Amino acid sequence: MKTILIPIALLAGIITFAQEKQDSIKSREKNIEGVTVTVKKPTVESKVDRTVFNVANSAILAGNTTWDVLRMTPLVNIDNNDALKAEGESVTVYINDRKSVFTGKELKEYLKTIPADNLMKIEVITSPSSRYEATGSVINIVLKKRDDEGMKGSITLNNKQNTKNSQYTNLNLNYHRKNFTQTLIGGYSDNTYVQRNSSLYTWYQDNETNQINSYVIGRSKSPSFSTTSEFEINNKNTVGLILEYYQDNSTSNSEATRINRSDISKSSSDQNQNSTGLNRNVGTNLFYKWYDKEKNKILDVNLGINYYGQSEDSYFINNIFSSKDGPSREDLGVLTDTENRNYYFKVDYTQPLGKSGATFETGGKMSFNNNVIPNNLYGSMVYSFSPRDIFHYEDNISSLYANYSRKFFDKLETRVGIRYEYIDYRMRQDVAGTSRKDGYGAFLPNILVKYSFSDKYDLSLTYNRNIWRPWYAEFNPFMTPNTDGIYSRGNIDLEPNPSDRLYMKLGILKKYFISARYSFTDQDYWTDYLQREIEVPGENGTTTIKKITITQPSNFSGKVHKYYVYANTNQTFFKNKFTVNLGLGWYYIDNSDFNERNGLKNNFYISYLSASTNLSYTNLFNKNINLSAWVEVSNQNNGNSTTNKPNIFHNISATKIFPKTQMEVSLQLMNIFQRPNYDATTYNQQGYVRSISKWDWYGASISFVKRFGNQKVKENTKTDAEKNGGGGK
């Protein structure tokens, strides 16, 4: 840790001393013709329901993508599975106040195609209103709006050297003419990554252990584009169309070794896996917005169709060496061709109520999902499993919401909301014949109160009820192999997870913020590890018995209490040129009741700790040089897993801007002092597993940006904020 902090502290000290000297020289100059006062938004703003990270024109954007800046955003963490979390809980991502069609790995890859230079701000909404269809916090990514006449844009070229070399290019265009605006973002990446994994499974029965080491090399070629067409019919009516497309052509190769030990036997094996895949995401949103400026009424109508398709062919070759039975060979191939379709219709309406200063908003949404997941197996191992099946999942989710907001005597802000959701879902397997049909409704209340003691001190309290529904893939019970020789499947019997949440936030001097959260549930999930014996065909028509390990998500009933405390401060120095943001969070999970009910004697509580800091300096020496540095330390405990060693991430970048030619050159150093790793132990009824991973997110990259046209960005006026604050959520 010291090796990381010392050079960053030294960097901060050097630029501080240099800038003080530079400013001293400037102050001695005699010829002063005038004084210019520039008002700049603070980098981090704390509002009643959200924290806003104002990154427009910040040094932190240089050489980064939107995904990279998300990593550096206060309150946001990204775990070892690339899942976004805000203050330790799951999030739903919106782009320009419209829910993104991408989730999981596809969301990560899509955001990596959007240059950070396009960002205006990132809103971390920790207390979302009933308008949002979210189970936890919301991250709203707001892109810049350029509506000066004519064509403008930029071209970005990036080369990154990790274990292997990767390239990325992007074209960003914006055209505005009178009432019509057209934007286009197109990107292409050729990315190669390497990952090393090690897992030690310890089973209570027979004192058996499985040591698995794997090495994975993957490559993905990913074109993508997004476009928005918007036409203002008049000052009240606007129509538009949003299209998003992402494609990923991937190949990967992994090598794994496995040693099995027990009281009665020992065996070893090595496994090679090759896979090719093609993923496609297409999202559409046709919207109409009516805005009455005089009465501040907004009607927002959204209609969309989203599609996700995934085809993959993975082939596993397993060579087994046993002192008892001699060497043998197994092979197994997996073919999938997933088709997922989503159709939705959403209406939102907002208006003020009389002269009281109150606001009322209401709306609803209907969403239909049709998911078909066929799986086919081939090879010598196929007889041990179901060789072919098709899993179907369909649902219909209808929701209605209403919010009422009012401010009393300029000190007390209130918001009361209610959301009702009803889901009807069906699933089945064509061959196995398993099926399930169910439906349920849920009322989800939401209450927010904020009191401002003065312009320097304020306190807010929030209560809301959430419900988490399993994802369609988590239901799919078809069993498939993983690269490390472990098998995985979903669970058709998963139940929804409701929870209650209390949230408090204290603001001091508009620079220091302390938040605390408590949540409770009596129904949760965790990853279950099962062992199963199967028959494996041998030579001359014989068969042998083999024990395999299977992972699946499972329901567990039991009370879980979660406590979270977070402190954050943002400071600026040297006329707002040097910005320091520091955050520290502590997350405590009391799952003693949960574990006692399920026969666990260890891990009655989990402590999650995270700390991060951002340093950025703009226009060093007045030479158009921007510097930034970022460090995060977190232990990423979750569920029934505890971290053995904390993760340490860091990033240092420098950018030189050439105003006359509108060009930029950026150099970025990623985790050069310590490579990121994941080291955690996961407990279950049958035993426990310690998993260690080393990621490929380290090295250096260089970026070249060429801009053209008028690069002025339209500021969001109060009218714009009201108009753009319509639906789509």
Side-chain angles (χ1 to χ4, degrees):
M1 184 63 184
K2 289 183 179 179
T3 59
I4 301 167
L5 296 179
I6 289 174
I8 292 179
L10 182 61
L11 172 65
I14 291 173
I15 61 180
T16 298
F17 172 77
Q19 191 62 33
E20 284 180 341
K21 185 174 181 180
Q22 183 81 3
D23 290 343
S24 175
I25 294 173
K26 293 288 183 180
S27 67
R28 293 196 298 266
E29 294 182 358
K30 300 296 184 180
N31 300 324
I32 302 177
E33 297 181 358
V35 177
T36 301
V37 178
T38 302
V39 178
K40 183 181 177 182
K41 284 186 176 181
T43 304
V44 178
E45 290 182 282
S46 181
K47 298 186 177 182
V48 62
D49 63 342
R50 67 194 66 192
T51 296
V52 183
F53 192 32
N54 293 305
V55 294
N57 304 317
S58 170
I60 204 173
L61 301 182
N64 284 312
T65 66
T66 297
W67 178 259
D68 297 323
V69 175
L70 270 177
R71 277 190 175 273
M72 306 176 194
T73 300
L75 278 67
V76 174
N77 297 97
I78 300 177
D79 69 13
N80 60 298
N81 293 316
D82 292 323
L84 283 168
K85 295 185 177 182
E87 293 188 333
E89 67 177 357
S90 61
V91 301
T92 304
V93 174
Y94 287 70
I95 300 176
N96 287 342
D97 278 328
R98 284 176 166 78
K99 188 177 180 180
S100 174
V101 301
F102 304 112
T103 59
K105 298 290 185 182
E106 285 73 30
L107 175 65
K108 171 190 174 182
E109 297 302 325
Y110 177 69
L111 294 180
K112 286 172 65 176
T113 67
I114 302 178
D117 181 62
N118 280 26
L119 289 173
M120 175 70 74
K121 59 185 177 181
I122 296 176
E123 298 177 324
V124 184
I125 308 174
T126 50
S127 298
S129 71
S130 296
R131 164 179 273 176
Y132 289 91
E133 46 181 307
T135 57
S137 298
V138 168
I139 293 178
N140 182 34
I141 299 170
V142 182
L143 304 179
K144 293 177 180 177
K145 184 176 182 181
R146 295 182 170 95
D147 62 357
D148 295 296
E149 293 291 313
M151 179 76 74
K152 73 281 297 181
S154 64
I155 299 174
T156 302
L157 302 173
N158 175 273
N159 186 276
K160 182 183 295 183
Q161 184 63 50
N162 298 339
T163 306
K164 303 289 184 178
N165 191 261
S166 301
Q167 301 85 37
Y168 161 77
T169 185
N170 172 272
L171 174 64
N172 181 13
L173 296 175
N174 178 277
Y175 176 78
H176 180 76
R177 181 70 174 174
K178 294 182 179 179
N179 295 335
F180 177 73
T181 303
Q182 178 70 51
T183 63
L184 173 67
I185 301 174
Y188 180 82
S189 65
D190 187 345
N191 181 50
T192 303
Y193 66 91
V194 175
Q195 182 167 326
R196 298 180 184 272
N197 305 295
S198 177
S199 299
L200 177 62
Y201 292 79
T202 302
W203 307 100
Y204 300 134
Q205 184 177 1
D206 298 330
N207 196 29
E208 182 180 352
T209 62
N210 313 130
Q211 175 68 54
I212 304 172
N213 299 310
S214 64
Y215 179 78
V216 182
I217 299 178
R219 185 177 183 182
S220 62
K221 299 180 179 181
S222 306
S224 68
F225 78 88
S226 62
T227 176
T228 301
S229 306
E230 187 172 342
F231 181 73
E232 293 187 8
I233 302 172
N234 51 45
N235 62 354
K236 288 187 178 181
N237 297 276
T238 302
V239 295
L241 176 65
I242 300 173
L243 297 175
E244 296 174 309
Y245 177 81
Y246 170 77
Q247 177 178 300
D248 180 43
N249 294 275
S250 62
T251 60
S252 70
N253 175 266
S254 71
E255 299 176 357
T257 60
R258 175 170 177 154
I259 299 176
N260 303 325
R261 291 187 176 92
S262 68
D263 293 337
I264 56 176
S265 66
K266 175 183 177 181
S267 65
S268 63
S269 64
D270 60 67
Q271 174 179 283
N272 295 320
Q273 177 257 342
N274 294 285
S275 68
T276 59
L278 175 63
N279 295 356
R280 289 190 178 97
N281 284 71
V282 182
T284 64
N285 186 315
L286 178 64
F287 64 89
Y288 163 77
K289 184 171 288 187
W290 174 80
Y291 173 56
D292 188 331
K293 179 180 178 181
E294 295 180 356
K295 298 180 180 179
N296 196 19
K297 296 180 179 179
I298 303 173
L299 174 66
D300 197 356
V301 181
N302 292 265
L303 178 66
I305 301 175
N306 302 318
Y307 167 83
Y308 169 71
Q310 181 261 341
S311 59
E312 186 173 4
D313 182 1
S314 297
Y315 182 62
F316 300 82
I317 299 176
N318 197 5
N319 297 301
I320 303 174
F321 308 95
S322 173
S323 58
K324 178 181 178 181
D325 303 317
S328 63
R329 174 179 169 135
E330 302 169 352
D331 66 290
L332 183 66
V334 183
L335 293 171
T336 60
D337 188 14
T338 304
E339 302 281 342
N340 301 332
R341 295 172 178 85
N342 165 252
Y343 312 88
Y344 69 90
F345 175 72
K346 192 175 192 310
V347 178
D348 297 274
Y349 177 74
T350 304
Q351 76 163 52
L353 296 178
K355 299 180 180 180
S356 64
T359 301
F360 176 75
E361 54 184 346
T362 185
K365 181 179 180 180
M366 290 188 297
S367 179
F368 301 88
N369 294 284
N370 184 359
N371 307 310
V372 181
I373 310 175
N375 287 276
N376 294 277
L377 304 179
Y378 62 92
S380 64
M381 286 280 290
V382 72
Y383 301 105
S384 304
F385 310 99
S386 173
R388 178 181 179 275
D389 214 332
I390 301 177
F391 179 71
H392 300 263
Y393 176 85
E394 300 172 357
D395 70 30
N396 174 18
I397 302 177
S398 301
S399 61
L400 295 171
Y401 77 88
N403 286 317
Y404 175 80
S405 304
R406 185 174 179 179
K407 191 172 184 178
F408 298 89
F409 44 87
D410 293 329
K411 288 182 177 290
L412 182 62
E413 296 179 54
T414 62
R415 186 187 71 205
V416 179
I418 186 72
R419 184 180 185 90
Y420 178 77
E421 294 185 351
Y422 185 85
I423 181 173
D424 176 59
Y425 61 98
R426 300 158 298 281
M427 63 188 85
R428 71 180 190 277
Q429 285 181 285
D430 286 353
V431 177
T434 57
S435 65
R436 182 181 177 187
K437 183 178 180 181
D438 208 345
Y440 55 88
F443 283 98
L444 307 173
N446 183 292
I447 301 172
L448 182 146
V449 178
K450 178 184 178 182
Y451 186 80
S452 299
F453 301 96
S454 67
D455 60 346
K456 296 182 179 180
Y457 301 93
D458 59 76
L459 178 67
S460 60
L461 298 171
T462 305
Y463 163 77
N464 65 303
R465 182 168 176 81
N466 294 323
I467 186 167
W468 175 265
R469 298 185 183 90
W471 193 237
Y472 70 91
E474 295 175 311
F475 284 116
N476 185 3
F478 192 87
M479 189 162 61
T480 57
N482 298 328
T483 58
D484 57 3
I486 304 299
Y487 294 79
S488 63
R489 67 185 180 197
N491 186 347
I492 203 170
D493 296 318
L494 289 179
E495 297 290 343
N497 176 16
S499 63
D500 294 280
R501 180 177 181 269
L502 288 171
Y503 185 80
M504 180 190 73
K505 188 174 185 179
L506 174 65
I508 305 172
L509 302 175
K510 296 184 178 180
K511 288 186 177 182
Y512 306 94
F513 305 96
I514 301 174
S515 59
R517 185 177 71 243
Y518 166 76
S519 63
F520 167 80
T521 182
D522 56 5
Q523 158 65 38
D524 211 336
Y525 315 108
W526 68 3
T527 301
D528 216 354
Y529 293 84
L530 309 174
Q531 287 193 305
R532 170 182 162 188
E533 292 184 344
I534 60 173
E535 289 189 355
V536 179
E539 297 180 357
N540 302 321
T542 62
T543 60
T544 58
I545 301 298
K546 177 184 178 180
K547 186 183 291 185
I548 63 173
T549 302
I550 305 168
T551 67
Q552 70 173 31
S554 295
N555 297 312
F556 283 98
S557 60
K559 297 177 182 178
V560 179
H561 305 268
K562 299 180 181 180
Y563 307 86
Y564 188 82
V565 178
Y566 187 86
N568 175 263
T569 183
N570 188 73
Q571 306 283 342
T572 58
F573 307 93
F574 309 126
K575 300 177 182 179
N576 290 332
K577 287 187 174 183
F578 185 39
T579 300
V580 178
N581 181 269
L582 178 64
L584 178 65
W586 179 65
Y587 198 0
Y588 175 86
I589 304 177
D590 179 1
N591 57 354
S592 54
D593 178 53
F594 186 85
N595 289 348
E596 286 175 359
R597 290 194 180 197
N598 296 288
L600 292 182
K601 299 179 180 179
N602 300 316
N603 191 31
F604 286 137
Y605 67 91
I606 292 175
S607 180
Y608 180 116
L609 182 66
S610 66
S612 66
T613 182
N614 279 317
L615 308 174
S616 63
Y617 202 104
T618 305
N619 199 13
L620 181 67
F621 305 137
N622 294 319
K623 298 296 184 181
N624 295 307
I625 298 175
N626 296 338
L627 302 178
S628 69
W630 165 69
V631 178
E632 177 186 326
V633 181
S634 61
N635 59 10
Q636 297 192 359
N637 292 331
N638 189 41
N640 55 323
S641 297
T642 58
T643 301
N644 301 308
K645 295 180 180 180
N647 275 321
I648 302 175
F649 305 97
H650 58 280
N651 185 304
I652 303 172
S653 66
T655 301
K656 170 63 177 175
I657 303 173
F658 302 91
K660 291 184 179 180
T661 59
Q662 296 195 65
M663 291 191 65
E664 296 178 10
V665 180
S666 301
L667 176 64
Q668 185 176 166
L669 304 177
M670 302 157 292
N671 300 298
I672 57 173
F673 298 106
Q674 180 169 326
R675 185 172 174 178
N677 65 83
Y678 175 74
D679 186 345
T681 301
T682 303
Y683 297 90
N684 62 87
Q685 295 112 315
Q686 291 79 28
Y688 56 92
V689 55
R690 180 174 181 178
S691 302
I692 302 174
S693 299
K694 286 191 175 182
W695 300 328
D696 202 31
W697 188 43
Y698 76 101
S701 72
I702 187 169
S703 297
F704 298 90
V705 179
K706 169 61 179 175
R707 308 184 193 283
F708 53 88
N710 187 350
Q711 293 294 319
K712 290 183 179 179
V713 177
K714 180 181 178 181
E715 292 294 332
N716 281 326
T717 64
K718 183 176 184 296
T719 300
D720 293 326
E722 292 169 348
K723 182 177 180 180
N724 295 329
K729 301 179 179 68

